[in-house]
């Protein structure tokens, strides 16, 4: 009787999670459009089919497949709850902190847009205010402060520039971006917070719904050697 109760409880849990994951995926239009793997958009149906065939382990594994391949954002509490189910089913704990291919591809799309925005800023600084490049973060502190005290980056193109520390925030009628210059004068550096701010302020349509998804990709790509950390703030694409 106890084993039957336990199994029924696990079955209900898996069905609930499959329903929630399906709802999250199907309500994210940007993510839904990028999914071409079989068994994800209709994942709840697949999970129920396994349950009906008395294959609870396969039902759970398909749930994990839906999460892993889609890269749908889950809180740490939700991940822990799903992971605990593996132990109750006597299965190996899943790895849910590795970014999906969808998340990784999306990250580099966002980064390309961010780098394009940085290039636009640099071009304006050179053309309108005669900034010499490359300019290190330390040089920027001195040069930007002098420029700001001189004319506050006044211009007739409705560009607003506010220098801060090693970098600046830039805003025009179409774009907002904030970044720091690097120790060697690099102008393509980024960090997780600024990428997320870039997404939010420019209302970029993306599969990402939480900044932690970007951090997950960045951490993984650094460990894999495709990104490098400067040692203080900036990350760079190798």
């Amino acid at each position: 009787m106890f084993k039957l109760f336990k199994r029924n409880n696990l079955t209900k849990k898996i069905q609930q999670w499959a329903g929630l994951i399906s709802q999250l995926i199907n309500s994210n239009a940007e993510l839904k459009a990028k999914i071409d793997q079989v068994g994800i958009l209709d994942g709840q149906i697949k999970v129920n089919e396994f349950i009906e065939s008395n294959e609870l382990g396969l039902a759970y594994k398909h749930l994990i497949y839906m999460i892993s391949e889609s890269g749908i954002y889950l809180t740490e509490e939700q991940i822990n709850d799903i992971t605990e189910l593996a132990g109750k089913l006597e299965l190996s704990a899943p790895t849910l902190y590795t970014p999906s291919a969808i998340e990784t591809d999306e990250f580099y799309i966002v980064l390309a847009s961010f780098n394009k925005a940085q290039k636009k800023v640099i071009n304006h600084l050179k053309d309108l205010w005669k900034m010499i490049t490359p300019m290190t973060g330390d040089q920027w502190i001195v040069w930007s402060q002098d420029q700001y005290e001189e004319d506050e980056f006044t211009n007739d193109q409705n560009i607003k520039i506010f220098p801060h520390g090693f970098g600046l925030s830039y805003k025009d009628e179409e774009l907002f971006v904030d970044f720091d210059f690097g120790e060697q004068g690099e102008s393509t550096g980024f960090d997780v917070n600024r990428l997320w701010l870039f997404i939010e302020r420019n209302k970029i349509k993306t599969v990402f719904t939480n900044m932690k998804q970007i951090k997950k990709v960045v951490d993984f790509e650094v460990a894999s050697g495709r990104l490098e950390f400067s040692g203080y703030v900036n990350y760079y694409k190798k």
Side-chain angles (χ1 to χ4, degrees), residues 9 28 31 50 76 94 100 125 137 146 152 197 216 221 229:
N9 190 39
N28 186 332
L31 174 60
F50 282 125
E76 189 168 345
S100 66
L125 288 169
D146 290 344
E152 296 185 348
L197 183 63
K216 179 173 63 173
E221 292 297 280
F229 181 49

Side-chain angles (χ1 to χ4, degrees), residues 134-195:
M135 181 170 286
T136 68
D138 288 333
Q139 291 170 331
W140 167 260
I141 292 174
V142 177
W143 182 84
S144 64
Q145 189 61 43
D146 290 344
Q147 186 66 48
Y148 195 75
E149 290 178 354
E150 181 179 334
D151 66 3
E152 296 185 348
F153 288 96
T154 301
N155 62 90
D156 59 3
Q157 298 187 33
N158 201 27
I159 296 171
K160 296 180 181 179
I161 292 178
F162 179 73
H164 54 70
F166 295 126
L168 72 153
S169 64
Y170 168 100
K171 186 178 184 303
D172 61 25
E173 294 177 349
E174 300 177 343
L175 173 73
F176 173 89
V177 66
D178 187 293
F179 64 95
D180 276 349
F181 290 95
E183 294 180 0
Q184 306 300 320
E186 305 96 330
S187 59
T188 58
F190 69 92
D191 63 56
V192 172
N193 290 329
R194 283 175 170 138
L195 280 186

Side-chain angles (χ1 to χ4, degrees), residues 13-201:
K13 267 275 193 181
I14 294 171
Q15 288 176 320
Q16 288 174 339
W17 274 117
L20 177 60
I21 299 304
S22 289
Q23 180 183 347
L24 290 174
I25 292 172
N26 285 285
S27 65
N28 186 332
E30 299 302 316
L31 174 60
K32 188 176 177 181
K34 292 178 182 290
I35 292 175
D36 58 8
Q37 297 95 323
V38 176
I40 296 181
L41 297 182
D42 61 345
Q44 185 177 11
I45 295 173
K46 297 294 184 182
V47 168
N48 285 330
E49 287 177 352
F50 282 125
I51 289 174
E52 289 171 4
S53 299
N54 205 31
E55 296 284 0
L56 203 55
L58 292 178
Y60 178 79
K61 288 179 180 180
H62 194 83
L63 171 67
I64 298 304
Y65 168 76
M66 292 167 61
I67 298 169
S68 301
E69 293 299 315
S70 69
I72 193 70
Y73 172 70
L74 297 174
T75 66
E76 189 168 345
E77 182 180 0
Q78 288 173 320
I79 290 175
N80 288 339
D81 190 40
I82 292 171
T83 301
E84 285 177 5
L85 288 177
K88 294 176 182 179
L89 290 164
E90 298 181 352
L91 297 172
S92 300
T95 302
L96 296 177
Y97 291 99
T98 300
S100 66
I102 292 175
E103 290 174 294
T104 302
D105 290 345
E106 186 77 355
F107 166 77
Y108 282 108
I109 290 172
V110 171
L111 180 58
S113 295
F114 188 81
N115 291 156
K116 183 178 179 180
Q118 290 170 303
K119 185 176 180 179
K120 179 180 181 179
V121 174
I122 298 302
N123 287 339
H124 279 316
L125 288 169
K126 291 166 63 176
D127 295 342
L128 299 177
W129 293 284
K130 310 306 177 187
M131 185 183 82
I132 304 299
T133 58
M135 181 170 286
T136 68
D138 288 333
Q139 291 170 331
W140 167 260
I141 292 174
V142 177
W143 182 84
S144 64
Q145 189 61 43
D146 290 344
Q147 186 66 48
Y148 195 75
E149 290 178 354
E150 181 179 334
D151 66 3
E152 296 185 348
F153 288 96
T154 301
N155 62 90
D156 59 3
Q157 298 187 33
N158 201 27
I159 296 171
K160 296 180 181 179
I161 292 178
F162 179 73
H164 54 70
F166 295 126
L168 72 153
S169 64
Y170 168 100
K171 186 178 184 303
D172 61 25
E173 294 177 349
E174 300 177 343
L175 173 73
F176 173 89
V177 66
D178 187 293
F179 64 95
D180 276 349
F181 290 95
E183 294 180 0
Q184 306 300 320
E186 305 96 330
S187 59
T188 58
F190 69 92
D191 63 56
V192 172
N193 290 329
R194 283 175 170 138
L195 280 186
W196 184 248
L197 183 63
F198 180 71
I199 289 171
E200 287 193 314
R201 291 290 296 272

